[in-house]
Amino acid sequence: MSYERSVSAPEHELSPETVWHLQLPEIRFGRNAVEELGFQLHDLGVEADAHGLIITDERLVELGHVDRVDRALTDAGFAVDVYDDCEREPSLAAVGECLSFVRDEQGSEGYDFYVGFGGGSCMDTAKATRAVIENGGELIDYIAEPTGNGETLTESAIPLVLMPTTAGTGAEISPVTILSVEEKSIKEGISSNHVRADAAVLDPTFTTTLPPAMTAKTAMDALGHAIEGYTTHEYDSLLRASDPASRPTYAGRTPVTEAFSEKAIDLLAGNVRCVVNNGDDIAARSAMLQGALFGAIAGLTAGASLCHAMAYPVGNRYHTYHGETIAVLTPASTLGYNAASDPERFARIAKMLGVDTTGMSTRAAANEAKSEYIRLQRDLNVLPSGLSELADITEDDLEWLANQTTKTQQRLLRCNPRPVTTEDVHAIFEDALHNWG
């Protein structure tokens, strides 16, 4: 058997992996969990007179959400500053501005703790900021070669707590931070357990102000994590790392990640119509946030694959929302092209999405997963019908997008359950131009 397409560790043996590994932050979940933020930080060893930084954005300040977080911290005896200039799909330059703020306020040692509060962009900014402040140097030092210097992170002792305000990105538990390199029209990730937060506090009451369109976009990202995690390579079909330290963060699906995927798909598909149409339904909001967490545990441990690999060039060139891009690409990639890798598994996904597959052949049931996913998006009535509507993308743009995908996203494509060429990716992009008429 050839393992060439399954190589996932930079240093590996020509034998299959036999060990799987699950590492997560401490997790607190529930309505008004923000009230336990101070306790969480004390539990991580932060002293009562410590000085911390909330990394967030202006919109969350305007909504009053940051005041709740600030109050929870000051009530616990902490001094708190706020950085509220995070940008959507953060670039290296934008994170550099946050680093400059920290160094201007606190010098090279930085703050005693950090709280990343918001969507994935705020949380990724917080993760990157903590990592660089503690390890020294500049952000570019830790970006993989040839874009960056490819240096290794070794420290993560300064406590970092992440608090999502959307049910979708999974950044609160992920060991990866994704950043835009605007001059190259690419996205780069810093992947390390030293990027991962020490704790995640998930409070669904912060998600009720999320508008319907953004609710749908982030939900599709979460659903993408769950489905990709459920369909990626099994851990023991990947190559064994030469030593545990070089085992990749995206290490293949396991029985644990499969269980989380199944529950995530059930929670997300079963509640997203409700929250898009009635955002104040706190029970449905809680189910969505829990589903997003479970989907992240599955997809961001087992590994994202083809859909996410295709989404990054689209997002970087056209500045689209990540979740919306995942929504547009999932039917053609994960549920279309990849269905041939394991029709029985995709038939199970169709059932999880609510399809009655009684009397269908396995392949017909597998194909229904794609159809039902598209039906779900149409029901939400706030998502684009394809790449054409998303960003006016035409067939003339597809060659560049396909080449960028296979050239810059090998880290994700190695996890894909079906081999893929640049020609395949071009055809998948073409399929995704119009998911419905």
Side-chain angles (χ1 to χ4, degrees):
M1 176 179 180
S2 170
Y3 288 92
E4 181 179 355
R5 69 182 175 87
S6 300
V7 173
S8 59
E11 299 294 335
H12 58 270
E13 303 175 9
L14 292 177
S15 59
E17 182 62 270
T18 61
V19 176
W20 60 264
H21 171 234
L22 180 66
Q23 181 174 338
L24 296 172
E26 292 187 32
I27 296 172
R28 295 179 187 274
F29 183 100
R31 302 177 197 180
N32 299 313
V34 64
E35 296 172 5
E36 297 191 7
L37 179 58
F39 177 86
Q40 176 65 79
L41 284 161
H42 287 311
D43 193 48
L44 292 172
V46 181
E47 300 293 336
D49 59 350
H51 193 174
L53 178 67
I54 301 171
I55 297 175
T56 187
D57 63 37
E58 293 179 343
R59 176 61 175 161
L60 293 170
V61 172
E62 293 170 358
L63 289 169
H65 291 331
V66 174
D67 287 340
R68 291 180 64 197
V69 178
D70 190 306
R71 187 162 55 250
L73 293 171
T74 55
D75 287 350
F78 302 125
V80 183
D81 290 341
V82 175
Y83 178 83
D84 63 0
D85 204 23
C86 291
E87 71 173 17
R88 179 168 65 88
E89 308 288 338
S91 63
L92 300 187
V95 176
E97 291 176 6
C98 187
L99 286 165
S100 295
F101 176 90
V102 172
R103 288 167 173 158
D104 289 344
E105 295 294 321
Q106 295 293 315
S108 61
E109 296 299 313
Y111 286 88
D112 298 320
F113 66 87
Y114 299 89
V115 175
F117 178 63
S121 297
C122 295
M123 292 187 284
D124 275 357
T125 300
K127 288 154 73 175
T129 298
R130 190 272 297 259
V132 174
I133 290 294
E134 184 152 8
N135 287 270
E138 299 300 332
L139 187 58
I140 197 68
D141 295 331
Y142 305 102
I143 299 292
E145 296 178 325
T147 302
N149 299 328
E151 294 183 17
T152 301
L153 296 170
T154 61
E155 304 294 332
S156 54
I158 301 172
L160 169 65
V161 178
L162 297 179
M163 301 184 66
T165 59
T166 67
T169 70
E172 67 271 13
I173 61 97
S174 169
V176 179
T177 183
I178 302 296
L179 306 168
S180 297
V181 185
E182 294 183 334
E183 61 273 20
K184 293 188 176 183
S185 294
I186 61 173
K187 288 182 182 289
E188 291 281 5
I190 302 176
S191 178
S192 167
N193 281 321
H194 294 292
V195 168
R196 195 192 308 270
D198 300 285
V201 177
L202 294 90
D203 185 338
T205 65
F206 286 120
T207 69
T208 58
T209 54
L210 201 64
M214 189 58 67
T215 296
K217 293 171 187 177
T218 53
M220 292 300 103
D221 191 15
L223 195 53
H225 291 152
I227 296 174
E228 287 178 65
Y230 192 64
T231 57
T232 193
H233 277 305
E234 292 180 285
Y235 77 98
D236 55 2
S237 70
L238 299 173
L239 288 176
R240 181 198 299 268
S242 297
D243 66 83
S246 67
R247 182 175 291 124
T249 51
Y250 290 168
R253 74 176 190 268
T254 71
V256 171
T257 64
E258 288 194 356
F260 276 109
S261 284
E262 290 172 353
K263 186 62 177 177
I265 294 169
D266 176 60
L267 287 168
L268 294 164
N271 288 278
V272 65
R273 290 178 174 88
C274 177
V275 295
V276 167
N277 290 288
N278 180 14
D280 291 329
D281 188 327
I282 192 62
R285 287 286 191 183
S286 296
M288 289 296 296
L289 189 59
Q290 189 165 259
L293 171 64
F294 291 172
I297 292 171
L300 302 180
T301 300
S305 53
L306 176 60
C307 182
H308 273 73
M310 294 172 66
Y312 290 133
V314 173
N316 210 58
R317 186 173 195 180
Y318 300 99
H319 304 288
T320 55
Y321 281 99
H322 177 68
E324 194 172 37
T325 311
I326 295 296
V328 165
L329 291 172
T330 291
S333 57
T334 306
L335 297 176
Y337 180 84
N338 279 347
S341 67
D342 188 350
E344 289 188 5
R345 181 167 292 271
F346 283 84
R348 292 198 293 273
I349 292 172
K351 287 185 178 181
M352 294 178 212
L353 292 174
V355 177
D356 181 359
T357 60
T358 304
M360 293 183 186
S361 68
T362 299
R363 191 54 190 265
N367 292 340
E368 277 300 304
K370 177 180 178 179
S371 298
E372 183 62 23
Y373 182 93
I374 291 172
R375 189 174 298 115
L376 170 62
Q377 291 197 66
R378 298 191 73 173
D379 285 351
L380 299 180
N381 202 35
V382 291
L383 293 168
S385 60
L387 290 171
S388 178
E389 185 179 355
L390 174 70
D392 293 324
I393 295 172
T394 70
E395 291 189 11
D396 292 338
D397 302 312
L398 303 187
E399 182 177 357
W400 184 91
L401 289 170
N403 283 323
Q404 281 294 104
T405 299
T406 54
K407 179 181 177 181
T408 68
Q409 299 299 322
Q410 283 300 313
R411 177 178 64 92
L412 298 178
L413 293 178
R414 287 168 177 161
C415 297
N416 203 58
R418 186 181 176 192
V420 62
T421 66
T422 302
E423 290 73 22
D424 293 327
V425 175
H426 189 286
I428 298 163
F429 271 123
E430 187 172 17
D431 186 17
L433 285 172
H434 305 281
N435 289 322
W436 65 84

